[in-house]
C-alpha cells in the first residue's frame, strides 16, 4: 500500500537484497528532476509515504482483529447451541427421574418386612423387590448423570461468558484499527491536496500506471493451483484498492492474495503476516509465478510474483490492482503455497 521514494537494486539484481521503487519515484520521474526549491514538496511526499505505510499496517491489524471477531462469533454461536441442547437433555433427565421416583413410591412405599409378611406369594414379592432394587440402582445412576450434566452446563455457560467478553474486546479492537486507518488516509489525502496541481497530477498518473501487461517471461508456476491463482490475480488488474476488502470488486493487499488463491481452491489466512507462513519459504532468486512476496520486516504488505521480476498487488487507496517490479520495496520473504 505504501509508496517508497528511493530506488535500490532489486532482489533479482543482487540476490536477497531488495529495495524500494515507489509511486513517488514514478511521480518524480514523470515530473523530471525536482529542483532544490521543491524541498517542501519532497517533505510532503515523504509524510504521505509514511502515512500510507502506517495505514497499511493498521489495515492488516484491522483484518486480524476482524478475523478474530468472526471466529469468536462462530464459537459463541456454537456454545449457545450446545448450552441449549444440554439444557434440553437435563430437562429430559429430570422428567425421567420424576417418573422413576413416582414408580418407586407407588411400588415400594411399604416397609419390606411388612410387605413380605402380608404377601400371599413370597416369590412374587421377591420378584417385585428385585425390580425395585434395579429401579433404585438405575435412579442413582441417573442422578449421577444429571449432576455431571449440570456441572458440564455450568462450565459451558462460563466459557460462553468468557467468549462473549473476548468478542466485545475484539469488536473494540476492530473499531480502533478502523479509526486509525481512516485517520491516516484522511491525513494523506489532505497532504496530497496541499501539493501544487502538477504534483498531484503526477501522483494521479503514477497511481494508474502498471496496468499494461509487462513481459512476464516464460517461467512456469510451481503447481497447478499456483497457475490458477496467477490467472485470478491477473483478472483483477485495474480493480480498486479498498482497505479491508477481499474481492471480488475491490481488494486490499492480503485480500487480493486470499481471493486469488480461493479461486484455485486454496484457503489462505486473511492477513499478510499470516500469509507469509502459508507455505514453504524460498529464496527471492528462486521465485516462481504464484509465490507470495511479503514486504517490509513486519510483512505489512504482500503481492504475488508473476514472472520476470514482476508482481501483482493492490498498492494503496487510489491505486488499482497492478503490476510492479518485485523490488518496489524491501522484500522480507517469498512463500510458495
Amino acid at each position: 500500500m505504501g509508496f517508497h521514494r528511493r530506488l535500490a537494486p532489486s532482489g533479482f539484481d543482487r540476490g536477497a537484497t531488495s529495495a524500494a521503487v515507489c509511486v513517488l519515484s514514478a511521480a518524480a520521474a514523470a515530473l523530471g528532476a525536482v529542483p532544490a526549491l521543491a524541498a517542501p514538496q519532497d517533505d510532503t511526499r515523504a509524510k504521505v509515504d509514511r502515512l500510507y505505510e502506517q495505514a497499511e499496517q493498521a489495515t492488516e491489524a484491522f483484518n486480524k482483529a476482524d478475523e478474530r471477531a468472526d471466529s469468536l462469533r462462530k464459537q459463541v454461536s456454537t456454545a449457545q447451541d450446545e448450552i441449549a441442547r444440554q439444557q434440553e437433555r437435563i430437562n429430559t433427565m429430570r422428567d425421567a427421574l420424576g417418573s422413576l421416583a413416582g414408580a418407586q413410591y407407588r411400588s415400594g412405599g411399604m416397609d419390606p418386612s411388612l410387605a413380605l409378611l402380608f404377601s400371599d406369594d413370597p416369590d412374587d414379592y421377591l420378584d417385585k423387590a428385585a425390580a425395585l432394587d434395579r429401579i433404585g440402582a438405575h435412579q442413582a445412576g441417573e442422578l449421577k448423570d444429571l449432576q455431571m450434566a449440570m456441572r458440564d452446563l455450568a462450565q459451558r455457560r462460563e466459557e460462553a461468558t468468557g467468549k462473549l467478553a473476548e468478542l466485545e474486546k475484539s469488536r473494540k479492537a476492530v473499531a480502533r484499527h478502523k479509526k486509525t486507518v481512516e485517520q491516516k488516509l484522511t491525513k494523506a489525502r489532505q497532504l496530497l491536496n496541499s501539493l501544487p496541481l502538477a504534483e498531484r497530477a503526477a501522483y494521479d498518473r503514477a497511481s494508474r500506471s502498471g496496468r499494461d501487461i509487462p513481459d512476464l517471461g516464460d517461467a512456469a508456476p510451481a503447481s497447478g493451483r499456483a497457475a490458477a491463482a496467477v490467472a485470478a490475480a491477473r483478472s483483477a488488474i485495474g480493480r480498486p484498492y479498498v482497505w479491508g476488502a477481499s474481492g471480488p470488486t475491490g481488494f486490499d493487499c492480503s485480500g487480493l492474495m486470499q481471493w486469488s488463491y480461493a479461486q484455485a481452491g486454496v484457503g489462505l489466512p486473511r492477513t499478510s503476516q499470516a500469509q507469509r507462513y502459508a507455505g514453504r519459504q524460498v529464496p527471492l532468486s528462486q521465485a516462481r509465478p504464484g509465490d507470495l512476496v511479503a514486504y517490509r520486516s513486519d510483512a505489512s504488505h504482500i503481492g504475488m510474483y508473476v514472472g520476470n521480476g514482476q508482481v501483482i498487488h493492490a498498492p494503496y487507496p487510489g491505486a488499482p490492482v497492478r503490476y510492479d517490479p518485485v523490488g518496489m520495496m524491501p522484500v522480507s520473504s517469498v512463500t510458495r503455497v
Side-chain angles (χ1 to χ4, degrees), residues 2-167:
F3 333 20
H4 292 264
R5 300 176 57 240
R6 291 180 291 279
L7 172 63
S10 97
F12 286 91
D13 297 328
R14 298 187 52 190
T17 304
S18 332
V21 175
C22 77
V23 175
L24 297 175
S25 299
L31 289 173
V34 180
L37 292 176
Q41 281 71 41
D42 288 343
D43 184 57
T44 297
R45 290 194 296 267
K47 289 178 181 177
V48 171
D49 184 17
R50 287 192 297 272
L51 284 166
Y52 273 128
E53 182 174 340
Q54 291 165 8
E56 185 160 50
Q57 291 166 345
T59 296
E60 290 306 299
F62 167 86
N63 289 336
K64 183 177 181 180
D66 195 45
E67 185 178 43
R68 178 61 177 158
D70 283 343
S71 174
L72 285 168
R73 275 190 284 269
K74 292 175 184 175
Q75 291 177 35
V76 167
S77 178
T78 298
Q80 289 172 336
D81 288 344
E82 290 175 348
I83 286 170
R85 285 195 296 271
Q86 186 73 338
Q87 184 65 65
E88 186 177 355
R89 178 172 173 246
I90 286 172
N91 293 341
T92 300
M93 293 169 73
R94 282 174 171 160
D95 290 343
L97 278 168
S99 298
L100 282 172
Q104 188 175 25
Y105 175 79
R106 289 190 299 272
S107 303
M110 186 179 293
D111 180 85
S113 58
L114 291 175
L116 179 59
L117 178 64
F118 290 109
S119 176
D120 294 331
D121 186 347
D123 289 336
D124 180 59
Y125 165 76
L126 291 174
D127 288 342
K128 291 180 179 178
L132 287 172
D133 285 342
R134 286 194 299 274
I135 291 175
H138 181 65
Q139 185 179 29
E142 288 290 309
L143 279 169
K144 184 177 180 180
D145 288 346
L146 177 60
Q147 289 172 339
M148 292 177 62
M150 292 180 70
R151 281 197 296 268
D152 181 62
L153 178 61
Q155 182 178 347
R156 288 175 187 271
R157 282 179 169 158
E158 184 178 354
E159 290 173 355
T161 299
K163 292 292 183 186
L164 283 167
E166 192 176 353
L167 175 58

Side-chain angles (χ1 to χ4, degrees), residues 59 63 232-233 235-260 263 270 313-322:
T59 296
N63 289 336
S235 75
I237 294 293
R239 296 183 195 175
Y241 180 98
V242 179
W243 70 266
S246 55
T249 57
F251 305 90
D252 61 21
C253 66
S254 56
L256 175 61
M257 300 302 102
Q258 186 184 54
W259 178 83
S260 296
Q263 309 317 298
R270 179 62 181 90
H313 68 138
Y316 53 84
V321 175
R322 70 189 193 194

